[in-house]
């Protein structure tokens, strides 16, 4: 089985030259171009060919990962930053117009929130965003003690000036039981599609 110390654990063939290569489990992997800071713990495999030098990373399903990262972020009490608000909206599969309608605000306000032009979002509005993400993206038995009461009773940590995004560390393992109930994604034509999936993992948050 996979080991958590980065030691080679599996032999495969290189897709480029056919040589025997090894897959390695990476202890920590910073996910590039993800939208928010995210580090995967013992969840990414690297296949590297010693002959031709080809490298290939194997990551968890991206849609499940987005939903998991969004839920883990909304249950952390640190104030949401601009890029996190945008990330959560996109994880929900909502346009800015749809997001504004649900929150009872204007498209201009959504744009200002997501572009750091407006940082004084009310506590009630921020909690509504968190509850929306929790309700749509996580089931009741999400494996990080996620429930509506946790957000309703949350004391959000406010910051002077512009809030900064929180770095998260997420560990996905076959032994744990995190459930992603529902996710929204886009097909090749740019249309939103609703699907149901399950991601397995345990989450560790780094504030």
């Amino acid at each position: 089985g996979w080991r958590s110390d980065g030691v080679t654990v599996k032999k495969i063939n290189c897709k480029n030259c056919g040589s025997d290569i090894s897959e390695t489990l990476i202890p920590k992997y910073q996910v590039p171009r993800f939208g928010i800071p995210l580090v995967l713990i013992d969840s990414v495999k690297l296949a590297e060919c010693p002959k031709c030098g080809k490298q290939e990373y194997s990551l968890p399903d991206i849609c499940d990962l987005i939903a998991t990262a969004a839920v883990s972020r909304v249950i952390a009490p640190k104030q949401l930053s601009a890029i996190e608000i945008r990330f959560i909206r996109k994880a929900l599969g909502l346009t800015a117009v749809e997001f504004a309608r649900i929150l009872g605000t204007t498209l201009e306000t959504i744009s200002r929130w997501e572009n750091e032009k407006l940082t004084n979002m009310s506590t009630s509005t921020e909690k509504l965003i968190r509850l929306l993400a929790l309700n749509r993206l996580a089931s009741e038995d999400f494996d990080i003690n996620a429930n509506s009461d946790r957000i309703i009773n949350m004391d959000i940590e406010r910051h002077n000036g512009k809030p900064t995004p929180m770095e998260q560390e997420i560990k996905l393992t076959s032994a744990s039981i995190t459930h992603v109930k529902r996710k929204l994604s886009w097909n090749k034509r740019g249309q939103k599609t609703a699907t149901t999936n399950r991601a397995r993992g345990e989450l560790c948050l780094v504030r």
Side-chain angles (χ1 to χ4, degrees):
W2 295 105
R3 293 174 57 179
S4 61
D5 52 5
V7 174
T8 297
V9 290
K10 185 180 180 183
K11 293 286 185 179
I12 59 175
N13 292 324
C14 177
K15 296 179 181 178
N16 190 46
C17 68
S19 300
D20 290 338
I21 60 176
S22 301
E23 274 190 337
T24 302
L25 194 63
I26 303 175
K28 284 192 174 186
Y29 180 82
Q30 179 79 49
V31 183
R33 300 181 298 278
F34 189 66
I36 58 174
L38 182 68
V39 175
L40 294 180
I41 306 297
D42 297 334
S43 305
V44 176
K45 305 166 191 174
L46 169 63
E48 185 172 15
C49 181
K51 184 176 181 180
C52 69
K54 180 179 176 61
Q55 291 185 332
E56 186 172 299
Y57 291 88
S58 298
L59 279 74
D61 177 81
I62 188 64
C63 290
D64 287 340
L65 187 57
I66 287 171
T68 303
V71 172
S72 70
R73 178 60 188 92
V74 299
I75 65 167
K78 182 179 179 181
Q79 182 180 358
L80 296 175
S81 68
I83 66 170
E84 290 169 334
I85 294 169
R86 182 168 58 250
F87 178 85
I88 292 168
R89 173 176 64 78
K90 290 184 175 182
L92 289 165
L94 297 173
T95 66
V97 172
E98 292 168 334
F99 202 42
R101 184 170 63 249
I102 290 172
L103 298 178
T105 188
T106 64
L107 180 60
E108 180 184 4
T109 298
I110 298 296
S111 177
R112 294 179 70 189
W113 283 339
E114 294 185 357
N115 290 282
E116 296 187 323
K117 300 294 178 59
L118 187 64
T119 59
N120 60 341
M121 178 188 291
S122 69
T123 298
S124 59
T125 299
E126 181 165 336
K127 286 186 177 183
L128 179 57
I129 291 173
R130 292 168 182 263
L131 288 167
L132 181 64
L134 184 66
N135 179 64
R136 292 195 177 186
L137 298 173
S139 68
E140 292 78 4
D141 57 350
F142 205 87
D143 194 31
I144 45 176
N145 190 27
N147 55 63
S148 298
D149 287 342
R150 180 169 179 170
I151 291 177
I152 292 170
N153 298 318
M154 178 182 291
D155 291 324
I156 296 176
E157 300 170 3
R158 297 288 174 181
H159 298 271
N160 294 325
K162 297 177 181 179
T164 56
M166 185 186 82
E167 182 179 81
Q168 299 184 81
E169 291 189 354
I170 294 181
K171 181 178 181 181
L172 299 173
T173 65
S174 59
S176 33
I177 52 170
T178 299
H179 301 285
V180 174
K181 178 179 64 176
R182 185 170 183 266
K183 67 174 184 287
L184 294 174
S185 57
W186 289 265
N187 59 24
K188 292 183 179 179
R189 296 181 180 178
Q191 300 170 325
K192 286 182 294 185
T193 57
T195 57
T196 301
N197 263 308
R198 173 176 295 179
R200 296 177 178 175
E202 37 186 65
L203 292 87
C204 172
L205 307 184
V206 178
R207 298 186 184 180

